[in-house]
Each structure stands twice: as structure tokens, then as C-alpha cells.
Amino acid sequence: MTDPDTAPAMDLAALRAAIAENDARPEGPARNARAEALLVEAEKLGLPLAVIEALGHQLQVYCYSSEKDRMFVPFARLLRMWDERPEDFDAYETHSLHWAFKWMSSGMLDQPHVPLDSIEQWLGEMEHRYRVAGFSERAVRAGEHSVALHIGDLERAERAHRAWRAADRDRMSDCHACELHDQAWFKAYRRQDAQALELWRPVLDGEYTCAHEPHASLAASLMSLVRLGRFDEARANHLRGLRLVRETESMREAYAQHVEFCTLTGNEARALELLAERPAYFTDSGHPRSHLGFLGVVAQLMGRLTELGLGDRSVPGPAGRGWTARELAGHARAQALAIGARFDARNRTSHIGDELRERMARRPLVARLPLGVRAGRLPPVPGPRAAPDPTTARAPDAGGAGLGGTLDALLAEARQRTQDRHPTAQDAWAAVAEAAGAQGVVLPDRDRAEIADHAAMGGGDPALFERAAELYEAAGAPDEAVQARARGVYTRALRASGAAPDGSADDLAEPTRRAVARYEESGEGARHAASMLLYQARTLLVAVGREEQRAADPDAAPPSAAGDPAAAERAARNAAQRLLELAERHPDDPRLVSRAAAARAMLGELAAHRGDAEAAVDLFTGAWQGYVAAGTPWFAAEPASRLAALARHLDDLDLAHRAARAALEHGGPLLPPVHQAQLHLQLAEGLARSGDLPGACEHALEAAHWSDESGAGPALGAWARHQLGGLLLQLGRYAEAAEVLEAALLDLTEEAHGDGTLVQTRWWLGDCLRELGNHRDAAEQWLLAAETARTWPEQRDHAMLAHMAAESLGHAGLAAEADRAYERAGELWRPLGNPHGLVRSLRSRAWLMVDEDAGHLAGAGLDEARELMEAALFECERALAAARNAAPEEVGEGARERLVSESAQTRRQFGELLVRSQDGTPEGDPAVRAAYEEALEHVGRAVDDYASLGPAALDSRTAAELHAGWLLSYLGRRDRAEARARSVLLAHRGASDETGSARTAAAEELLAHLAGRD
């Protein structure tokens, strides 16, 4: 390793190259330190311009880092050099010096130790120097607007804003992207959100960009979009923008805006993860203004967590100690207020502190805005204090106690929900229990029975069902008591472990027989008989699954009373059929219509179990419609959901879609989160297959959210994100798709999802990264996917992934790695019998040998490239010979034509490569003429090959003809060159399409060139 003290000094060219190299490095202390070292090297040269360029570089890297406070020193030195010897500055450095005045004015504003009077004087100095240099006042007025807004002088800010927009744009004006960002931000600051977003639109759409745009505008737009209810755009801007600011150290305020967005949209867990990614932001003090904003958002988030009852949760914070949310809330608030006080003291206003306190006090704008990406779940908020159990409590004055008004209302609501058979009846009776316990009120036995009964339904405690039965009996309701015990038997059956035999069904036989017999004899007790048949059928249905488990387990206990799986199924089907027949006798009783629907649902399960899909579809449909007809649509969600899954299996996409949507509509928030996730996934997959990608995206997003909410493990959420990422990719929303797919990869496993899903996810992610210009990372994803696909029997995917990785490695300038990947792809294409892939890999390798833009392989050159192109031509000829000798049905329609086209393209590229290889060779060198002669031969053959393909290859033929014409012109064969040009004009005569117009223009250009040589 070279010792820096003994290394030779740089010359100016080497210094400039080193500055350019450092300028391309990521923002941060390492880049700043290198800029400082380069200034030392520049000073050794004794050239004023070298020092000026090194100081300008140092100034720039400080400006784009967390050490913004250090940029004043190099600027002061530059300004002094300018005032003493302006002739030492070239045109570029003169422009850069005046440009940096804007950085200084804003930089001073961001440092509370710089007096306000000094900032105003500096603004005046900037105005004077710009006027002397002949620049517009546009940049000066923009700077004045920033000062006025910072101190809270809105009247002056408005005047400056008008003057800024009215002044002419010139070379000192900020770029369009930055100006639009600042103008839109002013609108958003005044809550003119729609106008702000219209100003931001060209930046957000990518029409105007710069080093920090659209990064800043994407972050700044988030709250405006949420306030306007444009949630999909807000989500998209968050996912897009976060990718941009993550690696940009100087954009702490934009990063804080993403944290704030998560905090105020119900994504507090995501906000915590973002804080953990950037620990240095807690303590970097070089830019107090962004430090203030970041700490304000930290205080906001921690206040929100404390408000949710999570104040004792461990959270990421400044290094050196552990933090709870409550502790960090106090720390961040105190630090932020202290910094704000320094600004306000400098500005002689309370504006900064007032804005800070308002920001820290903000509360969520929306309860839930799903983002689609993976985030940890916050622990559940501790529940309220457990109330005394009113089924046992006795108050001293219970005998004469009346019910309070609130308790009366709670009881009425609970009784109504019970009458309606609404699933929330459990919550209503729990509220009654809490209120009665708090008031010391003794409820009647019937109400206490309902409380115990519903508590047992919610908690699945068989003993509590027995307590309910006793209270029902005490209240004179024997049928309800029997039903409570039946529910207890069913619950016990559900809780029985493994495949052990269970006697629950036997326990229900006699009470069910008595209930049905009473109904048959007297016509009374229809509801009671139906309820008992329902619990018996459900318990027998549990036994069906248990008997199957037992039959499959060689170590299981002897057969149960049901005998065997077939006997258990017959018993369950018989009970459900009896329930259906009884309930159908009472079509005007909603309760019994609902029982009939339950019977159909159970019969549907049994039909599906025995493989009778058509019968199951009819039965689940009847159950769904029956529950709706009975006025209990919430119960329709389960059979509709089962119908959706069955219809998908039968490839009836229309029915699957209608059933899944109905399940969500009927079940709504009553469905368990995992159930909601599954239904949304079904809808997403169905809509995607029908071509409704935006609709599919919406449901995949909801599926990802509910998967996370379910707490059922990461597998379902990973699958939902896999689906969502693929849909976003198809819609061209590459940055969003990349965020989602990267999140999916954190939880996808071969065991849970299969290696095919892993390969597909990495493939999609590589596609996204390529579209975003991140070729190195795209290649990495494709190579990882290729490594998994390496063991598959079918190797086409392996070859395709290796080929795509090679292309991206070439674009990333990694020529040696690209060459190896292309070689690997070629080795895979050959045994697959894919000459097109093989030929293209050989051609690409040839270009790597001579193409400096691709990295230019060390030691390679024209000879190696020629060998590879010749190998590509050989493979084309071999494939064509095989195709000519094969029967038409063996090669497929159009196969020969595609091979001729591939051969022509190879010859044309061979000619282009030979010409390109002579770049930099003196024009009179014989090697140039020899290369052009050889190139002409290949391009001429390409023209003939394309011509043999007829009109389908017209565009390719005329492009090759133009290439041949220019080669002929260089070689002095004017007549033949002119003939080529006129052939192209004739081929595209009267053409109005873009390609035809371009070919015509190019042919006329060639003719004009030939005429000019006379």
C-alpha cells in the first residue's frame, strides 16, 4: 500500500479526476474528509485555480452533508480570493462562486448562532454582487422569502414570493425542480394543499429533477395528500421517496417527514423502524434547523406511543443508553424546544417555537393507511381494569337497588343485540357486567345467565357454560339451560386435543332426542329443537375430522363411538339434514331460516369433504343467501368465503369474485384479521387474472395489512406482499414495487412458500431495480434467483436469469463479471436448444471486449471480439441448417425466419463492432480502411438476409442499408453509396410513421453529405 507521505504529488488533471471521483461518492463524513485531503493536495500545486476548484468541491460536499456548518470557511476564503484576484477564476468557478451565495444565505438562516442582522446584511451583499454581475434579482427575492418565512413575517414573505416569481429566470436561478418545491411548500404551509400539489406535479412526475428532487417534494407532499384524502398517492410518494432519501445523509428533514407521515396514519410501528435505521440523526448537530425538525417528529411519535399506553415500550434513541417511549418523548421535546428557543432568541420572535409545539401536538389524520410493506406490530394496549363478576357479586343494599340510567341503556342494547343474534352481543353483555359491577348492582338471574353464557362463547370455557345453565334454570328458562350445556359440550369437543376419541357427540344424543320428540309431538319448541340439532351436528362435524386423524395415526386409540370416519360423516350429515328439514317447515321464522342456512353450510362442508364440489357450491350458495334472508348477514361471511375458495378451485372466477366480495361486505370488521387477509388475497388474485390490476392492487394491499394485524406469523403477509409487488411492477410503479418486494423477501422461505416464489420475487425485484437504474443491485437479485433455479430440472429460467444479470452487470460497468455471466448463460442456452439466447450471449461478450463504456475487459480487444462474433455467426448457420433439414412441424411456424433475422442482426452488429473498434485510430491508417471493408461485407450480407424476409423486415433492412451507405461513402464509392440511400427513400416513400420518417431523413442526410463532397 502506498504511503501518502511518499506518494507523488498530483497534477491538475489528476486532482480534477480525484475531485470527480469523490463527488460521485455517497454523502457523509468520508466524502468530506477526502475533500479536505484534496484541498491539501491542491495547495501543493501552487496553482490558484487548483485551490479554487478544491475549495469549491469542499464547499459543495459540506453543503450536501450533515456538516453544513463547516461550509462558511471555504466560502469565505473563496470570496477573499475573488475580491483580490478575480482573474484567477475561470468561467465555471466564477459561476460556482456566485451560485454558492444562495447556499450561504440559507445556511446562515439554519444556524441560530448567526445573528439575524448579519443574515439581512448578507442578503443585501448578495443582491449587490448579483446586480454588479448582471444577474436577475430572482434568486435574491427567493432568499428574502426564506428569511421572512423563517421569522414568521408572512406579509413580507408574500411580497417576496410575488417578486421572486415575477423576476426573470437566469443562470443564478435555482433549478425548476427546487423552485417548484419551495413555491409549493409555501402553499402547503398555508394549507392550500390542492394548489401546492399542482405546483409539485411536474417534480413528482419526474419532469424536473436534480440532486435532491423529487426526494424533497415527495416527502413534503405527504401531509397535503393525506389532508385531501388522496391516500393512494400518499402511500406511493412515501414508498418512492423513502428509497431516495434513505442513502442521502443531508436530507434529515425529508426523512423526518416520512416518519411523521407514518406516525399520523396509524403506522407507528413503521415509524419506529425508520428511526432505528438512522441513529446518527438523533445527535448530528451540524445543521440545527433539520435537527430541530427531526427531534420534533421524534417527540410527536413518542407522545403518540405514550398516549396509546405504550410509554414503557423500548424504542430506538440516541446511542449510549436504552430508552422507553416516555423517556425519549421528554428528552426529544426538551432538546427540540431548546434549539427552537435559540432560533427565536436570534429572530426576536416566538415563531419557531410556536410551530414546533404545534407539530409535536399533532394527532393522526387517519386511523389506518396500509402501506403494503412489512412492519413490526406494536404490542396490544393494556385493557381496562377487570370489573367484578356480577354473576356472583352481591352488594350490601342489593335488595332495593334500582338500575342507573346508563346501565338501563346498556341492558337494552345487550338484549337487542341478543335478539338480533349479532356477534357483538358478547361485547354488549361484557359492558353490562362491568357497569353493574362498578355500581354494585345485582342483576336478575336471567341477565346474569346471559352474561355468563356470552362470556363463555367468547372465551370457550365449558365450566362457564355450566354456570350459565344454572342461572338459566334459576330464572325459569330450562330450554336455554339445556342449550347452554350443549354449547359447553360442543366447546369441549373443539378443545379436545389430537386424534383422541371424544364422547361429546354421545353426550348430546339424549337431550337432542327429547327436544325433537317434544316438537314432533306437540308442535312446540321448534327453535329449541333446531338449536339442539345444530349443536349435535356441529359436534359430529368435529368428530369427522377427529376420526380422520385417528385413522391416519397408527398409534391412535381404538375407534370411537362413531366407529370410523365414514360412520362419523354419516352421523354428521344425518343430524344436519334433520336440522334442515325441521327448519324448512318454518319459512316465516327468521331464527329458523338462519338455522336452515347453518344446516346447508354444514352439509356443504361434508360435500366438499367427500369431493362433491358441485353439491358443495349449491349448498354454500344456499347458506350464504339464507343467512342474508334471515336478517343475519354477518353469518353469511363464512359460507361465502368457503364458496369463493371452492369456485376458484373450479376456475369459476366470476362466482369466486362475487362470493369473496360478499364475504367481506357481510363480515366486515367482525371477521378475524387472518380471514380478511385471505379474502382480500382471493379478490386480488381473481382481479389480476381478469386484468383489473389497480383493483387487484387495492386488495393485495389490504391483504398485506390484515396479515400483519392478525399476528398469525409472517408467512401470509410475505405472500401478500409478493403478490402486491408483482402487481405494482406490472403497473410500472417500480419504486413502490421494489420497497414491497424487498419487504416480502424478509419473510419468504422455501419451506413455507416454495423456491419458485423466492425466484419469482427476486426476478421481479431485479426488474424494478433495472428500471430504477440500479443495475448492480438488479444483477445481484437475478444471480441469487439463478442460483436457486440452478437445481431445477427445467433450466430455461436459470439461463434467462444469468443472461439478464449479465446485461445489468455490463450496464453497471462490471465488464469482467458481465463476461462470466454471459458465458454461463451461453453454456445454459446451448443444451436447451435455444440458439437465439446463445447467439445473443456471444454477441454481448464480443462488445464487452471493445466497449469502453461497459468497462473494457483488461487485456481484451478486437481479436477476442472477432472470435466471439464469428462463433455467433457459426451458431446461426448451424441452427439454420438444422431448421432447413427438419420438417415444418418440428421447428414451428416462423422459426426459420427468426433465425435468418438473428443471423442478419449478428452480421450487422459485427460490422458496427469493427467500425467502433477503430475509434481513436488516425483516419489515414490502413487498419481503418481494412476494418471498414470487412464491416461492409458483413453489413451487406445483413441487408440481403433482411431482404429475404420481405416486408416484415423492412425497417431492419433499411437501417442496415443506411449503415452500408455510410461505409461506402467513407471508402470513396459514391455511386454505390447513393444507390443505397435512394433505395431507402424508395422503400419508405409516402411513409408517415415515425420509423419511416426517420429513415427518410437519414437517407436525405447521406445524399447531402455525398453531394457536399463534390
Side-chain angles (χ1 to χ4, degrees):
M1 191 171 182
T2 305
D3 184 347
D5 295 329
T6 60
M10 290 182 175
D11 58 17
L12 184 58
L15 175 70
R16 286 171 170 168
I19 286 175
E21 179 185 10
N22 194 50
D23 191 53
R25 298 175 70 183
E27 295 177 2
R31 187 169 77 150
N32 295 358
R34 178 60 175 156
E36 293 159 10
L38 290 174
L39 176 59
V40 173
E41 292 295 327
E43 290 169 336
K44 294 177 183 177
L45 295 178
L47 298 173
L49 184 58
V51 175
I52 290 167
E53 291 182 10
L55 283 168
H57 175 60
Q58 189 180 79
L59 171 61
Q60 178 173 322
V61 300
Y62 283 153
C63 181
Y64 289 101
S65 78
S66 61
E67 298 179 301
K68 292 179 183 287
D69 56 332
R70 301 181 66 182
M71 65 183 179
F72 301 112
V73 172
F75 181 76
R77 185 175 172 187
L78 277 169
L79 194 58
R80 186 172 63 252
M81 293 177 72
W82 168 262
D83 288 338
E84 293 173 354
R85 289 181 55 85
E87 63 272 16
D88 289 339
F89 288 69
D90 62 15
Y92 179 81
E93 295 302 334
T94 299
H95 177 275
S96 297
L97 176 69
H98 284 84
W99 185 271
F101 267 93
K102 299 183 296 182
W103 294 349
M104 293 306 105
S105 60
S106 62
M108 290 177 178
L109 203 61
D110 296 337
Q111 303 291 333
H113 69 274
V114 179
L116 185 62
D117 292 342
S118 297
I119 296 171
E120 296 282 11
Q121 290 172 7
W122 182 260
L123 198 60
E125 176 74 8
M126 176 180 169
E127 183 173 12
H128 168 71
R129 288 183 181 259
Y130 274 29
R131 188 181 303 115
V132 169
F135 296 128
S136 162
E137 68 169 357
R138 188 178 181 93
V140 178
R141 298 285 76 84
E144 181 187 5
H145 170 78
S146 297
V147 172
L149 195 58
H150 176 72
I151 63 178
D153 188 344
L154 293 184
E155 184 178 343
R156 182 187 178 193
E158 185 60 52
R159 286 198 309 271
H161 186 260
R162 289 195 298 269
W164 163 22
R165 299 191 68 176
D168 293 335
R169 282 190 57 83
D170 64 2
R171 291 185 299 125
M172 283 300 112
S173 301
D174 278 344
C175 73
H176 283 288
C178 288
E179 282 204 334
L180 287 173
H181 169 267
D182 292 341
Q183 291 166 9
W185 190 90
F186 187 43
K187 296 288 186 183
Y189 176 80
R190 293 180 295 176
R191 293 299 188 267
Q192 297 171 0
D193 293 314
Q195 296 176 46
L197 289 165
E198 184 57 29
L199 282 169
W200 268 316
R201 183 187 53 75
V203 183
L204 299 177
D205 290 348
E207 184 178 342
Y208 298 121
T209 62
C210 70
H212 280 179
E213 290 294 349
H215 317 39
S217 293
L218 286 165
S221 70
L222 295 173
M223 287 299 100
S224 289
L225 289 166
V226 173
R227 285 193 291 264
L228 291 174
R230 292 161 61 174
F231 301 131
D232 192 54
E233 293 173 71
R235 177 190 308 110
N237 285 6
H238 169 64
L239 296 178
R240 287 175 57 203
L242 192 61
R243 290 189 73 81
L244 295 173
V245 302
R246 262 201 179 107
E247 304 304 323
T248 311
E249 183 200 39
S250 61
M251 301 198 71
R252 176 164 51 184
E253 176 57 36
Y255 196 86
Q257 288 170 329
H258 284 283
V259 176
E260 180 174 41
F261 166 74
C262 293
T263 303
L264 301 183
T265 57
N267 292 286
E268 296 88 355
R270 166 81 164 170
L272 284 174
E273 291 183 355
L274 297 186
L275 286 189
E277 288 183 18
R278 300 309 295 259
Y281 278 173
F282 286 100
T283 53
D284 283 345
S285 57
H287 191 245
R289 194 172 181 183
S290 70
H291 195 200
L292 167 72
F294 181 77
L295 289 171
V297 168
V298 171
Q300 177 195 91
L301 171 59
M302 298 306 145
R304 174 66 180 154
L305 293 176
T306 303
E307 183 181 78
L308 290 172
L310 302 171
D312 294 327
R313 177 196 166 97
S314 177
V315 294
R321 55 160 290 186
W323 295 91
T324 65
R326 186 177 292 104
E327 292 168 341
L328 186 55
H331 171 82
R333 182 180 181 84
Q335 276 209 323
L337 287 171
I339 298 172
R342 290 168 58 202
F343 276 108
D344 282 341
R346 188 271 301 276
N347 299 338
R348 300 186 289 277
T349 70
S350 65
H351 179 67
I352 296 296
D354 292 343
E355 280 195 330
L356 172 64
R357 280 181 281 272
E358 184 276 328
R359 188 176 198 178
M360 293 189 294
R362 289 175 190 169
R363 289 296 174 266
L365 299 173
V366 59
R368 178 182 72 88
L369 199 165
L371 301 178
V373 292
R374 174 181 179 265
R377 296 178 70 239
L378 292 175
V381 179
R385 173 184 58 85
D389 182 0
T391 66
T392 58
R394 290 288 186 274
D397 58 347
L403 299 180
T406 300
L407 187 53
D408 278 336
L410 290 172
L411 273 165
E413 180 66 21
R415 289 166 183 159
Q416 184 61 53
R417 293 190 192 184
T418 300
Q419 177 65 29
D420 295 339
R421 302 181 63 235
H422 199 280
T424 58
Q426 294 175 17
D427 299 329
W429 282 111
V432 169
E434 183 175 359
Q439 297 178 30
V441 172
V442 178
L443 297 170
D445 287 336
R446 177 59 187 249
D447 291 334
R448 291 160 60 209
E450 293 281 8
I451 290 171
D453 202 2
H454 283 86
M457 294 178 204
D461 183 359
L464 202 51
F465 279 119
E466 180 57 35
R467 176 61 176 149
E470 294 171 356
L471 288 165
Y472 279 127
E473 288 172 340
D479 285 354
E480 284 80 355
V482 172
Q483 290 174 38
R485 289 191 173 97
R487 284 189 284 273
V489 171
Y490 171 58
T491 301
R492 191 180 72 217
L494 287 173
R495 296 176 66 175
S497 60
D502 174 63
S504 300
D506 297 335
D507 293 342
L508 288 178
E510 181 56 25
T512 302
R513 186 196 64 75
R514 288 199 299 267
V516 173
R518 188 180 91 187
Y519 166 72
E520 295 290 352
E521 292 169 4
S522 65
E524 298 178 354
R527 288 186 174 186
H528 175 56
S531 295
M532 294 305 297
L533 284 169
L534 173 72
Y535 297 126
Q536 183 185 47
R538 284 180 173 171
T539 305
L540 287 166
L541 203 59
V542 173
V544 171
R546 183 160 292 113
E547 288 301 328
E548 285 211 334
Q549 284 182 281
R550 187 199 58 76
D553 183 359
D555 300 323
S560 69
D564 56 45
E569 183 179 347
R570 284 194 300 273
R573 187 166 63 251
N574 179 57
Q577 189 64 43
R578 290 172 66 202
L579 169 61
L580 179 61
E581 292 169 358
L582 185 154
E584 285 185 329
R585 299 177 197 172
H586 303 272
D588 297 327
D589 186 336
R591 179 69 63 89
L592 290 172
V593 172
S594 181
R595 292 296 192 226
R600 289 190 176 91
M602 288 186 286
L603 289 168
E605 292 289 354
L606 290 166
H609 178 265
R610 65 176 181 269
D612 189 349
E614 291 185 5
V617 165
D618 290 341
L619 287 161
F620 283 132
T621 302
W624 161 19
Q625 296 171 349
Y627 278 129
V628 173
T632 54
W634 41 85
F635 294 137
E638 182 61 32
S641 175
R642 291 286 288 115
L643 177 60
L646 197 59
R648 282 183 68 247
H649 177 70
L650 295 173
D651 211 28
D652 187 342
L653 299 184
D654 180 62
L655 178 58
H657 179 81
R658 287 188 290 109
R661 188 173 292 282
L664 282 171
E665 291 173 353
H666 294 319
L670 300 173
L671 291 172
V674 69
H675 199 165
Q676 294 200 52
Q678 291 164 343
L679 287 168
H680 280 295
L681 262 179
Q682 289 181 29
L683 282 169
E685 293 169 2
L687 288 168
R689 291 176 66 180
S690 67
D692 182 1
L693 298 183
C697 263
E698 291 181 20
H699 286 288
L701 178 69
E702 289 291 330
H705 168 77
W706 288 112
S707 297
D708 293 341
E709 288 294 304
S710 72
L716 184 59
W719 176 252
R721 276 181 270 278
H722 163 82
Q723 299 281 59
L724 175 60
L727 292 165
L728 289 168
L729 170 62
Q730 291 182 71
L731 288 169
R733 294 160 63 174
Y734 304 116
E736 300 167 66
E739 282 287 309
V740 171
L741 292 168
E742 286 171 350
L745 282 171
L746 296 173
D747 295 316
L748 286 172
T749 64
E750 287 192 26
E751 295 75 18
H753 305 94
D755 56 1
T757 301
L758 275 171
V759 167
Q760 183 65 81
T761 305
R762 293 195 183 280
W763 194 322
W764 284 340
L765 179 55
D767 289 343
C768 294
L769 295 171
R770 175 188 57 196
E771 294 296 333
L772 294 170
N774 191 345
H775 295 291
R776 182 190 293 262
D777 289 348
E780 179 183 0
Q781 292 300 325
W782 286 329
L783 289 172
L784 288 169
E787 184 60 24
T788 301
R790 180 177 58 83
T791 60
W792 292 357
E794 167 55 56
Q795 286 289 284
R796 185 182 181 281
D797 286 343
H798 184 195
M800 183 68 75
L801 287 161
H803 201 119
M804 292 192 304
E807 289 177 351
S808 277
L809 289 167
H811 285 303
L814 302 171
E817 293 85 345
D819 184 55
R820 287 195 295 270
Y822 276 126
E823 186 174 18
R824 177 184 180 186
E827 292 170 351
L828 292 165
W829 288 127
R830 189 185 300 278
L832 286 170
N834 188 322
H836 301 281
L838 174 57
V839 167
R840 290 168 189 176
S841 66
L842 289 166
R843 288 200 311 246
S844 297
R845 290 184 66 200
W847 279 109
L848 286 171
M849 304 299 154
V850 297
D851 193 343
E852 293 183 2
D853 291 338
H856 202 309
L857 286 171
L862 182 57
D863 290 343
E864 291 80 4
R866 185 191 301 277
E867 289 179 9
L868 288 163
M869 280 295 186
E870 288 172 349
L873 283 173
F874 173 78
E875 295 296 340
C876 286
E877 292 301 326
R878 183 164 67 174
L880 271 168
R884 291 189 187 103
N885 294 327
E889 62 272 13
E890 293 178 0
V891 295
E893 185 178 355
R896 293 188 183 91
E897 289 77 7
R898 287 193 294 274
L899 286 168
V900 170
S901 179
E902 197 73 69
S903 177
Q905 176 70 353
T906 303
R907 289 193 178 279
R908 182 181 168 191
Q909 286 198 31
F910 201 162
E912 291 175 355
L913 182 144
L914 290 166
V915 172
R916 182 88 62 86
S917 69
Q918 299 306 311
D919 288 351
T921 306
E923 188 171 340
D925 192 313
V928 175
R929 187 173 187 87
Y932 277 40
E933 290 282 9
E934 186 180 358
L936 180 61
E937 180 183 351
H938 286 298
V939 176
R941 291 280 300 277
V943 173
D944 294 340
D945 285 345
Y946 284 131
S948 72
L949 297 174
L954 173 65
D955 293 343
S956 297
R957 174 176 71 80
T958 53
E961 279 201 280
L962 285 168
H963 188 192
W966 283 103
L967 288 170
L968 288 163
S969 171
Y970 176 84
L971 293 168
R973 299 167 193 169
R974 173 180 169 169
D975 291 346
R976 290 179 60 190
E978 184 176 329
R980 291 290 190 185
R982 296 198 181 284
S983 174
V984 171
L985 287 174
L986 182 63
H988 290 287
R989 184 173 56 188
S992 59
D993 61 293
E994 185 177 347
T995 300
S997 299
R999 295 283 189 274
T1000 299
E1004 290 172 345
E1005 180 185 357
L1006 175 56
L1007 288 171
H1009 170 76
L1010 292 168
R1013 295 183 64 178
D1014 288 342

